[in-house]
Amino acid sequence: ESPDLFCDDDILKKAFVGGADLAGSDPPTESTAVGGTSDGGVGGKNAKRHDGRRHLRHVTESNDEDKKGKKKVKIIHFVRNPFDMVVSNYLYHSQDPTPEKWVHVDDPCQNLYKNGKSLASHVIPTLVSGLELHSAKNITNSSLHPSSLQETMQKNLADIASLCRSLYRSDPSLLNKTFYEHLLHHDKWNGLRLSSAQMIAASSVANGHKAGGDVLRMANNIVRFERLKEQSKKAERRRSGGGGGGKEEGDVRVLTVSMDDFIKNATTNIMKFMDFVFDSGDGGIDYDSQEEDDYYSNPIIPRNVLWEAAKYQDEYYATKHKKSHHITAQSKSSEKKDEWKALLRNSPELGPILSQTEVLVSKALLIG
């Protein structure tokens, strides 16, 4: 699940790195902590899937401080290829019986928050800035050119909203049918298109903030975390007077992890997590070995101890994974999934946003 990080850069920095409480002495809400708007667009008592500043700081902030006394923040961000994401989402929620109750009450086309603003209006400026940076270095696709990107993205998201409405309760025989019943009623392609529209652009208001818009949220968060990291590096460069030769690390570090890779290689990724959290190496470690090497630098925790902990967590995860309803990998052949992803890539409504998000995901994984 992706939190809403809609606040400006300074507030986001305070939420993660520290500073005065953003909501004074009261418990922070989503709107004051990690996104939303001053009029509570995505906050309130029902924001269960967006736990706000307290939860984010609990899971991301290291309690350690460096020698200068500055707090260090480490963020582990799970991402997934958006095409894999929407196909998996459709297969999961169209199971019979479905594992999720919210699909019986959701309006998959509800893209507005209670203040009348859409999810798209919050994230488009951020996504444009992230894609502009990428396209400035790699202008190979005219649709990513900065001069037209925002207008193109707004049109794409409007097309997704229209697509959703054309597939949801547009037929008189379906007026009283639920989102889940639509998934079962439609042929596979239209069911996939409807569930993909919901996962890309829905605000999640209609289902109590349990699901919806995760593709846009993931893309938004990739850009926001990268900006947070770069802002921290610039601050460190100013503090050091530029003496770091452009290699300043800053107070914020981000490890981006592919969910699919984690499932396939849990032990390796858990080792990466622990080396990242405990500063056990400088990036040259062999994560598939428990043997210490020249790159391993943690004087407190022996390498084999981290390895055993990683193996334990891997076995625990594997046991839990076998019992999970989220296992849909065997429900369709890889050839069929590849066919669906090719159709999505060529879809005039869904293809552009999914492809642009794929660019951001690939870039984030490349940086690490």
Side-chain angles (χ1 to χ4, degrees):
E1 295 180 346
S2 302
D4 287 333
L5 303 182
F6 299 156
C7 50
D8 64 37
D9 288 345
D10 288 338
I11 292 178
L12 186 65
K13 182 180 179 182
K14 288 181 180 179
F16 279 91
V17 181
D21 281 346
L22 305 180
S25 59
D26 297 326
T29 65
E30 164 64 16
S31 60
T32 58
V34 292
T37 57
S38 60
D39 52 355
V42 290
K45 297 179 180 179
N46 293 324
K48 296 179 181 178
R49 66 194 298 270
H50 312 296
D51 294 322
R53 178 172 177 258
R54 288 175 298 175
H55 173 67
L56 287 170
R57 292 192 67 180
H58 174 71
V59 298
T60 62
E61 183 172 325
S62 167
N63 290 323
D64 296 331
E65 296 183 357
D66 67 8
K67 294 179 181 179
K68 296 181 182 179
K70 300 187 299 294
K71 286 186 176 181
K72 294 286 186 178
V73 175
K74 295 178 181 179
I75 301 167
I76 298 175
H77 187 203
F78 281 87
V79 299
R80 194 173 187 186
N81 180 284
F83 290 97
D84 291 327
M85 204 170 159
V86 295
V87 169
S88 177
N89 174 67
Y90 168 65
L91 292 174
Y92 177 62
H93 292 112
S94 62
Q95 293 180 85
D96 186 13
T98 181
E100 302 277 6
K101 295 180 179 180
W102 63 262
V103 294
H104 298 297
V105 298
D106 190 35
D107 175 353
C109 306
Q110 172 59 277
N111 63 350
L112 301 179
Y113 292 110
K114 292 181 179 179
N115 65 353
K117 293 186 177 181
S118 67
L119 171 62
S121 69
H122 284 293
V123 304
I124 283 179
T126 298
L127 300 190
V128 167
S129 68
L131 288 165
E132 280 182 353
L133 179 62
H134 177 86
S135 62
K137 298 177 181 178
N138 306 281
I139 298 181
T140 57
N141 186 332
S142 60
S143 68
L144 294 181
H145 197 280
S147 63
S148 62
L149 183 55
Q150 180 156 337
E151 180 180 342
T152 300
M153 189 171 288
Q154 288 171 336
K155 181 182 183 303
N156 289 340
L157 287 166
D159 289 344
I160 290 175
S162 297
L163 171 68
C164 191
R165 288 300 178 193
S166 74
L167 294 170
Y168 185 67
R169 294 183 175 175
S170 59
D171 187 321
S173 66
L174 298 175
L175 288 179
N176 296 317
K177 300 298 183 181
T178 65
F179 175 39
Y180 176 64
E181 289 171 319
H182 277 71
L183 296 182
L184 298 184
H185 170 83
H186 284 306
D187 60 48
K188 299 297 184 182
W189 172 233
N190 281 330
L192 174 60
R193 291 204 298 164
L194 176 60
S195 66
S196 298
Q198 192 268 355
M199 197 177 203
I200 291 172
S203 67
S204 77
V205 167
N207 59 48
H209 299 284
K210 292 182 174 64
D214 291 277
V215 171
L216 282 185
R217 287 190 175 92
M218 177 179 71
N220 178 73
N221 294 349
I222 287 172
V223 178
R224 298 307 306 278
F225 287 146
E226 180 62 22
R227 286 197 338 213
L228 182 65
K229 186 172 67 173
E230 290 304 314
Q231 185 183 33
S232 176
K233 285 183 179 180
K234 289 180 180 178
E236 180 62 28
R237 198 171 298 131
R238 288 194 296 269
R239 285 194 293 265
S240 66
K247 297 182 179 180
E248 294 85 358
E249 193 170 86
D251 300 336
V252 178
R253 292 178 61 195
V254 180
L255 176 65
T256 305
V257 180
S258 163
M259 177 63 75
D260 293 305
D261 185 54
F262 177 83
I263 291 172
K264 294 175 183 176
N265 306 290
T267 298
T268 298
N269 280 285
I270 292 169
M271 287 297 289
K272 288 181 182 179
F273 296 165
M274 291 192 287
D275 283 330
F276 176 71
V277 171
F278 294 115
D279 287 322
S280 300
D282 63 1
I285 292 176
D286 178 4
Y287 292 111
D288 295 316
S289 172
Q290 63 177 310
E291 300 299 326
E292 295 188 17
D293 54 35
D294 293 339
Y295 295 101
Y296 187 75
S297 59
N298 191 318
I300 300 174
I301 307 174
R303 183 72 177 171
N304 66 303
V305 173
L306 288 183
W307 179 264
E308 290 301 319
K311 291 294 290 183
Y312 175 82
Q313 289 297 324
D314 189 356
E315 292 168 4
Y316 171 79
Y317 172 78
T319 300
K320 186 175 181 180
H321 187 65
K322 288 178 181 178
K323 300 177 181 179
S324 173
H325 290 292
H326 280 83
I327 300 175
T328 58
Q330 305 303 321
S331 60
K332 287 290 176 183
S333 68
S334 59
E335 292 81 6
K336 189 62 179 179
K337 289 180 180 179
D338 289 341
E339 178 185 335
W340 282 350
K341 286 186 279 188
L343 288 171
L344 287 167
R345 197 175 293 278
N346 292 315
S347 166
E349 301 92 359
L350 303 169
I353 293 295
L354 290 173
S355 295
Q356 289 161 347
T357 302
E358 186 178 46
V359 168
L360 294 173
V361 169
S362 297
K363 178 186 174 184
L365 290 172
L366 183 63
I367 295 173

